[in-house]
């Protein structure tokens, strides 16, 4: 869906994007994670042909960008930083303007399509109000509605939940999940770890212009081969496990070995009370901090 090879953008002395090779597959909800200023927006703009790369290449839906823009962009829905709209016109009228530029169909079918996307993003009730009366969150949703007009195969969203309240964030998340279930591939940039962790199937992490990590969320969060045990009898457990305890914090022990059932049986047989026990997994935050290697600088954490 999106393949970039050694994509690089230099602004004078600033290397904004440095040799990034992205691989977004059909069916992904791909989370493109990075701190502010790490180069996400510049990358997204190059993918869409809005900014020319200094070097490297972009293939979008299998076609070389920006050359194939006219052919492929109608199949891609995009929301890139601050959706633009005419404030004096209604949300509906803004969508109608966008829709009249080449999506085809009769006036009536276009009108039905606009109603459908307004409904989808939760703006049906305010579609006839002028956009200048919209909140930031409503404008963001209008931008999403515009991206959905052409029923895209691929949706590219730059920080889609920027400026939304928790309820709005949840609605957008559910909307993205619904679209994904119906077959849309989604590429979204975000600086919010929790958002990516809850929504995405694959993750790419950008750190100061470089892609330092790209993998499926499932494999990033696979068990580490250690077991976490919560027990009030940690001293006894420590003795019993004879050197297998790698770390203890209060009642929480990290034990070498990935057979929780056997470990539980061993502890319980010896009368050690077990409150909780299970395989250890790294959180996305731990994975990202390890990959970015400057824990003092809280990359992507919020
Ligand atoms: P944010 O989340 O804050 O939007 P980002 O990860 O999207 O950040 P970019 O906006 O791509 O990051 O910026 C990456 C770097 O490139 C920054 O140092 C930025 O100052 C610089 N940059 C971006 N656009 C330009 C430009 N048009 N001219 C000069 N420098 C630029």
């Amino acid at each position: 869906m999106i393949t970039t090879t050694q994509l690089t953008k230099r602004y004078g002395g600033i290397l904004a994007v440095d040799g990034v090779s992205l691989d977004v597959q059909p069916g992904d909800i791909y989370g493109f994670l990075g701190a502010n200023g790490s180069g996400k927006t510049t990358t997204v703009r190059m993918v869409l042909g809005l900014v020319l790369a200094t070097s490297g290449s972009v293939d979008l839906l299998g076609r070389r960008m920006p050359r194939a823009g006219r052919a492929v962009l109608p199949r891609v829905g995009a929301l890139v930083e601050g959706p633009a709209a005419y404030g004096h016109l209604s949300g509906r009228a803004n969508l109608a303007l966008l829709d009249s530029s080449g999506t085809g169909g009769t006036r009536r079918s276009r009108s039905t399509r606009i109603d459908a996307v307004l409904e989808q993003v939760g703006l049906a009730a305010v579609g006839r109000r002028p956009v200048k009366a919209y909140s930031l969150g409503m404008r963001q949703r209008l931008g999403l509605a515009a991206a959905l007009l052409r029923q895209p195969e691929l949706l590219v969203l730059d920080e889609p939940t920027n400026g939304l309240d928790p309820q709005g964030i949840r609605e957008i998340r559910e909307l993205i999940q619904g679209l994904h279930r119906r077959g849309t591939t989604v590429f979204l940039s975000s600086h919010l770890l929790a958002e990516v962790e809850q929504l995405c199937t694959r993750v790419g992490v950008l750190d100061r212009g470089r892609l330092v990590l790209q993998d499926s969320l499932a494999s990033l969060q696979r068990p580490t081969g250690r077991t976490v045990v919560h027990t009030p009898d940690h001293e006894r457990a420590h003795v019993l496990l004879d050197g297998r305890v790698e770390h203890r914090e209060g009642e929480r022990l990290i034990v070498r070995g990935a057979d929780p059932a056997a470990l539980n049986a061993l502890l319980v047989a010896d009368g050690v009370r077990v409150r909780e026990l299970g395989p250890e997994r790294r959180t996305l935050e731990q994975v990202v901090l390890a990959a970015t290697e400057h824990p003092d600088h809280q990359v992507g954490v919020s």
Side-chain angles (χ1 to χ4, degrees):
M1 284 273 172
I2 303 174
T3 310
T4 71
T5 309
Q6 290 298 315
L7 191 61
T8 299
K9 180 69 189 182
R10 191 181 276 283
Y11 289 110
I14 299 174
L15 199 52
V17 177
D18 183 8
V20 166
S21 298
L22 291 176
D23 174 28
V24 181
Q25 299 282 336
D28 282 344
I29 303 185
Y30 187 109
F32 192 37
L33 204 52
N36 290 334
S38 56
K40 302 182 298 295
T41 300
T42 305
T43 305
V44 169
R45 287 183 177 277
M46 286 192 283
V47 165
L48 295 170
L50 299 170
V51 162
L52 278 180
T54 305
S55 60
S57 64
V58 174
D59 290 299
L60 187 60
L61 305 184
R63 304 278 304 275
R64 185 56 49 95
M65 289 296 284
R67 209 168 48 224
R70 267 170 180 268
V72 293
L73 288 176
R75 295 159 59 199
V76 178
L79 173 62
V80 182
E81 257 182 357
Y86 295 107
H88 64 290
L89 296 178
S90 69
R92 212 170 184 292
N94 270 286
L95 292 178
L97 268 180
L98 285 171
D99 202 32
S100 60
S101 59
T103 49
T106 62
R107 214 183 148 131
R108 180 187 282 260
S109 73
R110 288 207 300 264
S111 171
T112 311
R113 189 159 55 220
I114 290 170
D115 285 337
V117 293
L118 282 169
E119 180 77 45
Q120 241 179 325
V121 300
L123 287 181
V126 295
R128 293 183 188 279
R129 275 196 222 157
V131 167
K132 62 176 183 247
Y134 281 16
S135 67
L136 187 59
M138 287 155 76
R139 284 170 196 247
Q140 195 73 354
R141 284 190 230 183
L142 185 64
L144 253 176
L148 293 174
L149 271 177
R150 297 166 191 239
Q151 297 180 306
E153 293 161 51
L154 170 69
L155 204 48
V156 177
L157 308 172
D158 192 22
E159 304 270 1
T161 57
N162 244 1
L164 300 189
D165 58 20
Q167 173 65 16
I169 291 175
R170 197 164 131 204
E171 282 171 18
I172 297 295
R173 191 195 317 138
E174 285 168 2
L175 177 64
I176 290 173
Q177 284 166 331
L179 291 164
H180 178 246
R181 271 197 299 279
R182 276 173 269 139
T184 311
T185 301
V186 182
F187 176 84
L188 67 91
S189 80
S190 177
H191 63 280
L192 304 174
L193 271 168
E195 174 169 280
V196 167
E197 196 160 29
Q198 284 178 52
L199 191 58
C200 296
T201 58
R202 265 161 65 76
V203 181
V205 178
L206 205 58
D207 181 26
R208 291 168 291 182
R210 297 192 63 86
L211 190 69
V212 292
L213 189 79
Q214 178 169 239
D215 207 340
S216 71
L217 189 65
S219 74
L220 291 174
Q221 296 183 324
R222 67 179 169 263
T224 59
R226 303 188 295 182
T227 304
V228 187
V229 182
H230 289 257
T231 169
D233 305 324
H234 52 84
E235 279 165 11
R236 269 182 74 191
H238 219 289
V239 174
L240 183 66
L241 293 173
D242 188 28
R244 282 174 62 196
V245 177
E246 289 192 357
H247 182 71
R248 181 178 76 82
E249 226 180 274
E251 294 191 352
R252 185 174 183 270
L253 308 181
I254 304 292
V255 182
R256 214 169 25 253
D259 188 348
L263 183 60
N264 190 44
L266 178 72
L267 293 170
V268 172
D270 209 68
V272 172
R273 293 167 297 169
V274 173
R275 279 199 221 284
E276 220 178 297
L277 184 145
E280 184 195 47
R281 290 173 199 277
R282 289 203 297 169
T283 63
L284 186 58
E285 179 177 337
Q286 289 167 328
V287 172
V288 169
L289 288 177
T292 48
E293 283 176 3
H294 43 108
D296 50 319
H297 172 194
Q298 298 269 293
V299 176
V301 180
S302 55

